Amino acid sequence: MLRKTEKMKIQLISLIMVFALHTMASQNLIETTCKSTPNYHLCATTLKASPGSSTADVADLGLIMVAAVKAKSREALSTIHKLRRRRQPKLSQALQWCAEVYKAVFEGDVAVAEQALRGNPKFAETAMAGVALEADTCEDAFEGVVVPPPALSGVNKVVHELALVARAIIRNLL
Amino acid sequence: MRLHVKFLYVFLSSIAVILFNNGAQASHEVHTELKSSTAVTVRRVHRTGYHFQPLKNWINDPNGPMYYNGYYHLFYQYNPKGAIWGNIVWAHSVSKDLIKWERLEHAIYPSKPFDKYGCWSGSATILPGNKPIILYTGIIDKKNTQVQNYAVPANLSDPYLRKWVKPDNNPLIVADISINKTAFRDPTTAWKGTDGNWRISIGGRRKNRGIAYLYRSKDFKHWVKAKHALHTKSGTGNWECPDFFPVSVSDNNGLDTSAKGSHVKHVLKVSLDVTRYEYYTLGTYSTEVDKYIPDKNMVDGWNGLRYDYGNFYASKSFFDPKTNRRILWGWANESDSTIDDIKKGWAGIQLIPRTIVLDPSGKQLLLWPVKEVETLRGKGVELRNKKLVKGQKIEIKGITVEQADVEVIFSFDSLDKAEPFDPKWDRYDAQKICSVKGSTVQGGLGPFGLLTLASKELEEYTPVFFRVFKHQNKHLVLLCSDASRSSLENATGTYRPSFAGFVDVDLTSKKLSLRSLIDHSVVESFGERGKTCITSRVYPSKAIYRNAHLYAFNNGSESIKIETLKAWSMRKPQQMNQ
C-alpha cells in the first residue's frame, strides 16, 4: 500500500503529464491550424498570446482570431477619429469612407462571424473575406489624392492579414 | 390623431408607388412600420421590381413552402434587426398566385429553450386530414448546437395560418453521439413509406463526408434514426438543405412527396456548405430498402448537375396539389459588400419559383419559371428573322429593359466553325472557361446571346450567351452569365463571377433558345427551356432605370439569326410584402 504522500505525488505527476500532453496537443493544433493560413507567423503569435488558446478547439481558435480582427478594427476607428480631428481637407473624404468601412466591419462582419462561426461557419467565412476586402477599400480611398496616413495604413494592412488568417481557420470548419 | 397622420402617409406613399410603377425613379424611400415608430431608409436603386423580398433587412433560406386551403405560404429566414445575418426568425408571407405576396407577422421566433438561440431552416408537411406541420432546426446554445423541433398552426380555420404553436414535447430529435451536433439541420418534408411510417432527412457531415441522415416515425412525434443514412458521399463536405422527392417519368405533373411506383424516379438535392452551390442526382428509392441510390450515369459530387449554375442556394421544393406541380424556391444572396448592404438596408432575394419536371431524356431535370410570372408581362416587342454577323448587335427597345422578360430563339446554318474545346480544360469547370472566354472574345460558333443591364456605351453590361465547342466528334454548348463587367463601381468587395454551365442538347436542329428574367440587380437565365439555368446578381451604376439597355449580339465568325425574340416590360406585383 502506498502512503498518502506517495499517492499524492503520483496523482500530481499524472496531472502534470496530462496537462503537458494536452498543452502539447493544443500547441500542435495551433501549429497545424496556422499552417493552413496564409500568414503562419501572425496566426501563431496572435493565437499563442490569447490565454484561452491552449485548451481551444479549432472553432475557438477561429473565435480568437475574429476577436483579434475586432480589436484591430476598434484601433482603426480610433486612429481614424484622431486623424479627423486634425481637420485636413485632403484627407476628410477618404477618412469619412474609412469610418463607414470600419463601422460596417464592426457591426456587420465581426458580429456575423461571432454569431455564426460555430455551427454555420459559411457566414463567418464570407464575413472575414469581406473584412479583408473592405480594409483594402479604406486604403484605396486615398488613391490619387494623398498618401494614406502611415498610422492608418499600418492598421489597414494588419486588419487585412488578420481577416485572411481568420477566414482560413474558419474554412477548416466547413 | 397620430394614427390618422400615419395612415395618410402610407396612403400617399402607396399612390407614389403606383404612379412610378415601371422602373421607379425614386432612389430612396422611408418605410414607417405601423408597429413601431422607427424609420429605416432603404436604398431602392438595386431593389427588384417583381422578385420576392421584404421591405428591408437580411433574408436567406426559403422555409416550409406549402399550399394550404387556397393560399401558397412562404416562410423565410429573416433578421428583424438589420441587413446582415443574425437574430434569425421565420418571417411569413402568403399568396394566391405565387406573384403577389402579403406580409404576415413572424410565424416562428426564439421563445423556448429548444430554440432560444435561433430558429433555423426547415420544411412543412401536410398530414392526412389536411393538417400542416412544420419541422425546423432550433439552436439551443451559444455554440449553435442544433436540434429538430415541430410547430403546428394555433388555429386551422385561419386561412392565413398566422399563429403557430410549439408544444412542450420539443425537441423531437437531438443529435446522438455519432452525429456532429453543430452540423445537424434542415429537416425535409416527410414522406410515408409502404409500411405506413413517416420518414425525413436531415443534413450533416462527418469530417469531409456529406450526410443526409434518415429518421423514421409512426406518429410524427417519436423519431428513430435509421441505421444507415438516406445517402452520403465522401469528400463533399457538410450537406445543408437536403431536398428529396419523386418525379414522374411518364408526364410533366408534379408528385406528392410520398408518391411511389414504376412511374416514379427520385431526386436528392443537397446544398454544399463548402462550395456554396448545390447539386442533385436522379436515382431510385424504395421504402423497403430505405436507401437512395443514384443512377449509374449520375455524377455524385461537386461536379454534379445543378438546379442553377449561379447564385442559387438553400433551395427547397414543395408539391402544389392545386395545379399538380412540384415548385422550387431558391435564395440569392447579395454579391456586393457588407458595407453596401448595411447602407442600403436590405440583403437577399428569393428567385422566381420554378417548376421541376424530368427531362424526356431521363438524364436531368428541367426547371422553368412558374407560368404565373407571365401575368406580369406588359408591353411587348418582337423581332423576327434578324441576321447578326460577327461583331454586330441589335438593340431591343420600347420596353423597360431593366425589368423585363425576354425569350429568344437563335439559329445558325452550320456547326463547322465551332471552336475546339481545349483538352487542357476541366470539362466540369464551366465557370473557368467562361472567365477566360468572355463575350468579347471572338469565337467560331458563338459567343452570341444577350447583353443585359447594359449602359449605352457598354461600360457596363451583363452578357448571357452561348458558345459552341467541338469536342471528340460531338459538340459542347456552354451557357455563360458573366458579371465581370457588370458595374463600373470600385470592384473591391464585390463578387463578379463568370457563372456558366454546359447545356446538354442535340444541335441537329441548329437552334438554341434562351430566356432571361431581368430585374434591376438580378438576371435569371434559362437555356433550352430550362436544361441549364444561371442566376447572376449585379449592381450597375450607369445601367439603371431608363439608362439601361438590352441588346442581342454575335461575336462569332459564324453568322447567326434571331428566329424570334419576344420581350416584355414586367409590371410590379400589386403587393410585395408591404
Side-chain angles (χ1 to χ4, degrees):
Chain A
M1 274 305 286
L2 293 165
R3 275 189 285 161
K4 224 183 185 171
T5 47
E6 296 289 334
K7 254 197 196 169
M8 277 177 67
K9 267 191 206 168
I10 292 173
Q11 280 176 346
L12 190 60
I13 290 169
S14 312
L15 204 66
I16 291 170
M17 277 184 70
V18 166
F19 183 74
L21 279 168
H22 188 87
T23 310
M24 272 164 61
S26 299
Q27 294 285 62
N28 283 336
L29 183 63
I30 292 178
E31 275 157 25
T32 21
T33 305
C34 288
K35 278 197 186 124
S36 73
T37 73
N39 193 328
Y40 178 89
H41 179 74
L42 180 64
C43 175
T45 40
T46 308
L47 291 178
K48 283 177 186 171
S50 170
S53 63
S54 54
T55 48
D57 62 9
V58 178
D60 291 323
L61 295 179
L63 285 167
I64 293 171
M65 199 53 68
V66 169
V69 171
K70 188 177 189 178
K72 231 6 149 171
S73 307
R74 207 182 274 123
E75 193 186 314
L77 279 165
S78 153
T79 309
I80 292 162
H81 196 62
K82 285 196 200 113
L83 287 166
R84 285 175 103 174
R85 272 198 240 119
R86 288 194 208 159
R87 294 190 191 285
Q88 290 164 297
K90 276 193 173 171
L91 294 178
S92 68
Q93 213 174 2
L95 287 175
Q96 167 70 27
W97 174 252
C98 287
E100 287 174 29
V101 165
Y102 280 103
K103 185 164 183 279
V105 164
F106 222 86
E107 294 174 1
D109 302 303
V110 167
V112 169
E114 283 171 341
Q115 263 203 65
L117 195 142
R118 207 183 267 284
N120 206 337
K122 65 177 186 287
F123 289 125
E125 193 213 354
T126 315
M128 286 297 112
V131 171
L133 292 169
E134 283 152 17
D136 290 349
T137 71
C138 171
E139 197 69 14
D140 293 346
F142 295 92
E143 200 174 324
V145 183
V146 71
V147 173
L152 184 55
S153 239
V155 177
N156 283 338
K157 281 195 184 67
V158 178
V159 170
H160 177 104
E161 287 295 304
L162 284 171
L164 289 184
V165 168
R167 179 201 195 180
I169 296 177
I170 295 165
R171 261 201 95 68
N172 290 312
L173 300 167
L174 282 167
Chain B
M1 197 53 212
R2 224 188 286 154
L3 201 59
H4 285 300
V5 175
K6 275 187 181 167
F7 274 120
L8 184 67
Y9 182 89
V10 170
F11 178 67
L12 288 174
S13 310
S14 314
I15 300 268
V17 167
I18 292 164
L19 282 177
F20 296 121
N21 201 341
N22 281 345
Q25 301 305 297
S27 62
H28 278 73
E29 214 170 83
V30 177
H31 294 280
T32 312
E33 300 273 328
L34 288 178
K35 282 179 195 159
S36 75
S37 54
T38 50
V40 171
T41 307
V42 166
R43 290 234 184 114
R44 300 206 70 245
V45 65
H46 292 120
R47 279 184 71 84
T48 64
Y50 57 95
H51 279 72
F52 184 102
Q53 52 179 141
L55 295 179
K56 59 186 171 108
N57 290 354
W58 165 282
I59 72 171
N60 56 295
D61 307 4
N63 296 152
M66 64 179 190
Y67 176 85
Y68 177 76
N69 286 0
Y71 284 96
Y72 293 98
H73 290 256
L74 181 68
F75 307 86
Y76 53 100
Q77 298 279 280
Y78 175 72
N79 181 354
K81 292 193 184 163
I84 57 175
W85 182 86
N87 318 300
I88 287 294
V89 305
W90 277 44
H92 184 194
S93 295
V94 292
S95 169
K96 278 197 161 299
D97 61 3
L98 293 170
I99 299 298
K100 297 189 285 292
W101 289 91
E102 183 175 346
R103 171 171 66 119
L104 302 174
E105 66 212 67
H106 300 324
I108 301 176
Y109 42 89
S111 69
K112 299 274 173 100
F114 47 82
D115 64 14
K116 185 172 174 202
Y117 289 87
C119 300
W120 291 8
S121 298
S123 310
T125 306
I126 310 289
L127 295 177
N130 203 22
K131 295 191 161 64
I133 181 167
I134 283 173
L135 291 173
Y136 71 102
T137 298
I139 308 300
I140 62 172
D141 60 26
K142 284 203 168 116
K143 291 187 169 187
N144 284 336
T145 302
Q146 292 148 30
V147 300
Q148 320 308 323
N149 305 318
Y150 79 104
V152 288
N155 181 4
L156 276 172
S157 50
D158 171 14
Y160 282 5
L161 295 181
R162 255 175 274 248
K163 287 211 195 302
W164 291 75
V165 297
K166 299 176 256 175
D168 287 329
N169 58 333
N170 270 311
L172 290 183
I173 301 174
V174 302
D176 67 27
I177 196 86
S178 71
I179 296 176
N180 181 340
K181 60 187 181 170
T182 57
F184 185 56
R185 55 182 178 265
D186 308 334
T188 63
T189 296
W191 63 94
K192 219 179 204 194
T194 41
D195 55 6
N197 290 337
W198 292 101
R199 283 136 173 96
I200 58 168
S201 184
I202 300 171
R205 71 176 176 104
R206 192 178 305 124
K207 299 215 166 132
N208 227 348
R209 174 179 281 274
I211 302 175
Y213 293 106
L214 183 67
Y215 281 78
R216 296 191 195 97
S217 171
K218 258 196 179 55
D219 57 5
F220 225 90
K221 297 276 153 67
H222 303 93
W223 292 86
V224 176
K225 179 164 158 257
K227 282 206 175 65
H228 50 259
L230 179 67
H231 189 53
T232 85
K233 185 71 187 185
S234 64
T236 51
N238 190 35
W239 283 2
E240 304 186 286
C241 305
D243 198 18
F244 182 64
F245 55 90
V247 287
S248 168
V249 301
S250 50
D251 58 39
N252 284 339
N253 286 328
L255 294 172
D256 178 273
T257 314
S258 301
K260 49 184 86 66
S262 54
H263 66 295
V264 154
K265 275 197 85 62
H266 275 81
V267 180
L268 176 65
K269 183 277 304 184
V270 295
S271 302
L272 297 167
D273 211 355
V274 179
T275 63
R276 302 305 295 278
Y277 57 76
E278 318 184 298
Y279 84 95
Y280 73 88
T281 52
L282 301 171
T284 53
Y285 168 81
S286 69
T287 53
E288 289 80 24
V289 176
D290 245 346
K291 260 193 191 176
Y292 168 74
I293 300 168
D295 291 344
K296 281 201 179 61
N297 60 334
M298 286 287 126
V299 176
D300 189 5
W302 287 13
N303 288 336
L305 294 170
R306 303 185 205 176
Y307 285 159
D308 189 299
Y309 291 83
N311 189 333
F312 190 90
Y313 198 72
S315 67
K316 189 174 289 295
S317 71
F318 72 103
F319 175 62
D320 170 14
K322 177 175 132 193
T323 59
N324 282 331
R325 292 178 296 181
R326 178 152 291 267
I327 298 175
L328 179 73
W329 284 98
W331 160 59
N333 68 353
E334 300 303 301
S335 299
D336 57 8
S337 69
T338 310
I339 307 170
D340 293 322
D341 296 348
I342 293 175
K343 278 181 153 177
K344 75 196 196 207
W346 60 275
I349 64 172
Q350 304 295 336
L351 282 340
I352 300 296
R354 302 173 183 177
T355 52
I356 301 180
V357 300
L358 187 64
D359 181 69
S361 70
K363 293 193 288 179
Q364 63 167 102
L365 298 173
L366 289 175
L367 274 55
W368 192 248
V370 291
K371 208 156 168 55
E372 287 88 333
V373 79
E374 295 167 27
T375 60
L376 293 173
R377 287 175 173 171
K379 178 176 176 215
V381 296
E382 196 171 323
L383 293 175
R384 275 183 189 280
N385 286 325
K386 286 275 188 284
K387 187 173 175 192
L388 289 175
V389 298
K390 179 165 107 172
Q392 196 178 359
K393 70 180 192 291
I394 183 167
E395 184 165 6
I396 293 114
K397 288 180 174 179
I399 59 163
T400 56
V401 297
E402 74 280 10
Q403 195 170 301
D405 184 358
V406 190
E407 288 196 81
V408 55
I409 299 174
F410 297 102
S411 68
F412 36 89
D413 291 331
S414 164
L415 296 167
D416 292 347
K417 291 188 182 158
E419 58 199 279
F421 187 85
D422 189 335
K424 285 199 253 45
W425 288 337
D426 179 356
R427 169 70 181 78
Y428 289 102
D429 194 352
Q431 189 168 333
K432 182 79 193 294
I433 300 168
C434 179
S435 66
V436 301
K437 290 265 182 184
S439 59
T440 54
V441 175
Q442 291 170 0
L445 180 52
F448 60 85
L450 300 171
L451 301 177
T452 72
L453 295 171
S455 61
K456 189 142 191 271
E457 307 296 325
L458 292 184
E459 304 101 326
E460 296 179 337
Y461 56 96
T462 302
V464 183
F465 59 97
F466 294 104
R467 190 186 292 263
V468 182
F469 298 95
K470 258 196 272 274
H471 181 61
Q472 297 173 357
N473 296 326
K474 287 181 298 179
H475 290 91
L476 287 175
V477 178
L478 184 69
L479 176 64
C480 282
S481 177
D482 189 353
S484 58
R485 297 217 177 107
S486 56
S487 175
L488 281 172
E489 281 293 298
N490 187 349
T492 322
T494 314
Y495 174 51
R496 296 196 191 144
S498 308
F499 287 139
F502 288 98
V503 189
D504 186 0
V505 61
D506 173 1
L507 289 174
T508 353
S509 64
K510 299 208 180 61
K511 288 189 173 141
L512 282 170
S513 74
L514 175 66
R515 179 178 182 187
S516 288
L517 291 171
I518 306 167
D519 199 358
H520 299 270
S521 63
V522 60
V523 182
E524 290 187 58
S525 297
F526 302 83
E528 282 296 297
R529 303 294 300 179
K531 282 194 166 198
T532 301
C533 313
I534 313 179
T535 299
S536 290
R537 296 298 313 277
V538 292
Y539 308 88
S541 60
K542 287 192 143 181
I544 60 172
Y545 302 128
R546 299 274 157 87
N547 293 326
H549 296 260
L550 176 64
Y551 304 92
F553 79 99
N554 178 22
N555 259 340
S557 44
E558 178 74 33
S559 298
I560 59 129
K561 191 161 76 167
I562 297 172
E563 291 276 329
T564 57
L565 184 149
K566 292 184 190 153
W568 299 264
S569 294
M570 291 295 267
R571 283 186 292 261
K572 283 181 170 214
Q574 281 148 18
Q575 194 172 27
M576 181 53 77
N577 297 317
Q578 283 95 339

